[in-house]
Amino acid sequence: MAKAYWVATYRSINDPAALAEYGKLAGPALQAAGGRFVARGLPAVAYEAGVNERVVLIEFDSAQQAIAAHDGPAYQEALKALGSGAERDVRIVEGL
């Protein structure tokens, strides 16, 4: 079974306090669901149509595990805390 990667890019951060609260809840929730943070922060460089905003990359053992982490109650609580605090693009992609 292929590993899977959760890729979150932030198009804008509207409420840094809401993002901080989200982070307090989301990190532990995703780790408890089997996620391993690979990268988190601003890009070293953004090419093409890339946006110089926050990126988060999390590895999971499978796409099903990543989807279950996202849809689980602990992460859903984190999303409630985030509210409209950030506009993000979140994708789960299987590894090769």
Side-chain angles (χ1 to χ4, degrees):
M1 185 176 301
K3 293 192 183 285
Y5 298 89
W6 171 312
V7 182
T9 58
Y10 288 65
R11 293 183 177 150
S12 64
I13 297 173
N14 309 316
D15 184 345
L19 180 61
E21 187 60 29
Y22 161 83
K24 289 178 191 174
L25 299 172
L30 294 172
Q31 288 174 321
R36 294 171 297 282
F37 284 83
V38 176
R40 168 171 52 196
L42 294 174
V45 65
Y47 290 111
E48 315 262 339
V51 178
N52 194 26
E53 280 292 347
R54 185 174 177 78
V55 177
V56 178
L57 177 62
I58 309 167
E59 181 182 62
F60 286 87
D61 289 334
S62 68
Q64 293 79 11
Q65 186 183 44
I67 293 166
H70 180 277
D71 296 347
Y75 186 72
Q76 291 300 307
E77 282 299 314
L79 285 177
K80 286 181 190 173
L82 178 61
S84 61
E87 180 184 350
R88 307 179 313 144
D89 177 352
V90 178
R91 300 173 191 215
I92 295 170
V93 61
E94 287 186 310
L96 301 175

